[in-house]
Amino acid sequence: MNIEEKPAFDTPFEWIGGETKVQELVTRFYDLMELDPAYAELRSVHGATLDDARQKLFWFLSGWLGGPQHYTERFGHPRLKQRHMPFKVNLQGRDQWLACMSQAMLETGVPEALQAKLKQSFFQTADWMRNQAEA
């Protein structure tokens, strides 16, 4: 009889390190977007300030990773594709978002195995959210 080991963490939220680490990840993600010219296209669709985006991504990721449902408590179902329809989401934007998040995960010390799982999920979501085919 094989008995599977219980995972060390019940949720990705616990695995990443809870709210403190999610906040660090979101902060680094938007700092990179603001500072690194490689993410200029991505930054250009976010308006003059990133404060609102920072807060909403933190709330969303906390719940999406299995932690507190801050976003849904405030706004209901995320409806990601619908909420992003006013913005140009193309291949370049998708790829810049993914690269920026990948760099932020690396720089904030997200465990490698968790990074791999999140990169796959982020790609599927980001690709699904595209609303323009051209670069």
Side-chain angles (χ1 to χ4, degrees):
M1 175 184 208
N2 275 341
I3 299 175
E4 293 184 37
E5 281 188 41
K6 182 184 180 302
F9 303 99
D10 290 332
T11 66
F13 182 78
E14 291 176 9
W15 193 359
I16 202 170
E19 284 190 344
T20 300
K21 291 300 284 186
V22 173
Q23 187 65 67
E24 286 178 28
L25 175 62
V26 168
T27 297
R28 187 62 188 146
F29 174 76
Y30 282 108
D31 287 351
L32 287 167
M33 188 189 305
E34 190 94 90
L35 301 170
D36 193 327
Y39 309 124
E41 174 76 18
L42 179 61
R43 176 62 185 90
S44 72
V45 300
H46 281 81
T49 178
L50 295 173
D51 295 341
D52 190 52
R54 287 175 189 267
Q55 187 64 65
K56 285 182 178 174
L57 184 60
F58 166 71
W59 286 335
F60 172 77
L61 283 181
S62 290
W64 184 78
L65 291 167
Q69 299 296 311
H70 300 306
Y71 188 93
T72 57
E73 289 170 359
R74 288 166 174 82
F75 305 107
H77 190 282
R79 300 186 320 260
L80 290 178
K81 192 162 190 163
Q82 179 184 350
R83 291 185 197 272
H84 286 81
M85 285 306 285
F87 309 103
K88 177 177 150 184
V89 183
N90 58 21
L91 290 170
Q92 183 180 14
R94 177 201 68 189
D95 291 348
Q96 285 186 17
W97 195 99
L98 293 168
C100 190
M101 182 55 76
S102 181
Q103 185 177 348
M105 288 192 295
L106 182 67
E107 292 183 10
T108 58
V110 174
E112 285 184 32
L114 179 57
Q115 282 186 50
K117 291 178 181 296
L118 292 176
K119 284 178 185 180
Q120 182 178 7
S121 293
F122 286 146
F123 176 82
Q124 291 171 342
T125 302
D127 194 57
W128 170 77
M129 288 179 53
R130 286 187 301 124
N131 56 30
Q132 295 185 9
E134 63 280 349

